[in-house]
Amino acid sequence: MHAFSVVTLGIFVAGYSTARWDLVTRLYELAIFAWDHGVVTRAAKAVAVLSVFFLLVILPVERLAAYENDLHPRTTGGGISAREQLKRRGSF
């Protein structure tokens, strides 16, 4: 390998490893900062509240919609379009 390419490769590897180390240390500092300021507990509380909201509101509405859909099924191929109905009535 040419001497210039060996130096270039060494500089690249050194810069890359330095950048990665800096990124890891900044992420570590950010995680400590978030833990100290209660971000983790607030996020956990938000997940819990949204889960309860889902269980108490969204899930029963979905079950009710599924029940009503079973009571009153619609056939997709048997209906007449709104445009066809208007044509038959003479309104279109």
Side-chain angles (χ1 to χ4, degrees):
M1 204 180 241
H2 194 268
F4 180 73
S5 61
V6 171
V7 172
T8 305
L9 184 63
I11 291 171
F12 173 77
V13 169
Y16 184 80
S17 61
T18 302
R20 287 291 173 188
W21 180 255
D22 186 50
L23 179 64
V24 167
T25 55
R26 285 182 190 263
L27 286 174
Y28 179 71
E29 290 171 0
L30 180 64
I32 291 172
F33 178 82
W35 183 265
D36 288 343
H37 288 81
V39 174
V40 176
T41 55
R42 282 187 285 174
K45 287 178 187 176
V47 167
V49 167
L50 288 174
S51 298
V52 168
F53 175 75
F54 176 79
L55 290 174
L56 294 179
V57 176
I58 303 297
L59 201 57
V61 169
E62 187 273 332
R63 302 308 283 158
L64 180 63
Y67 175 73
E68 289 293 327
N69 193 26
D70 289 340
L71 284 179
H72 309 289
R74 289 182 154 195
T75 56
T76 57
I80 301 172
S81 69
R83 181 176 291 231
E84 183 64 29
Q85 290 177 8
L86 289 173
K87 282 183 183 178
R88 289 183 183 183
R89 270 192 257 151
S91 303
F92 190 61

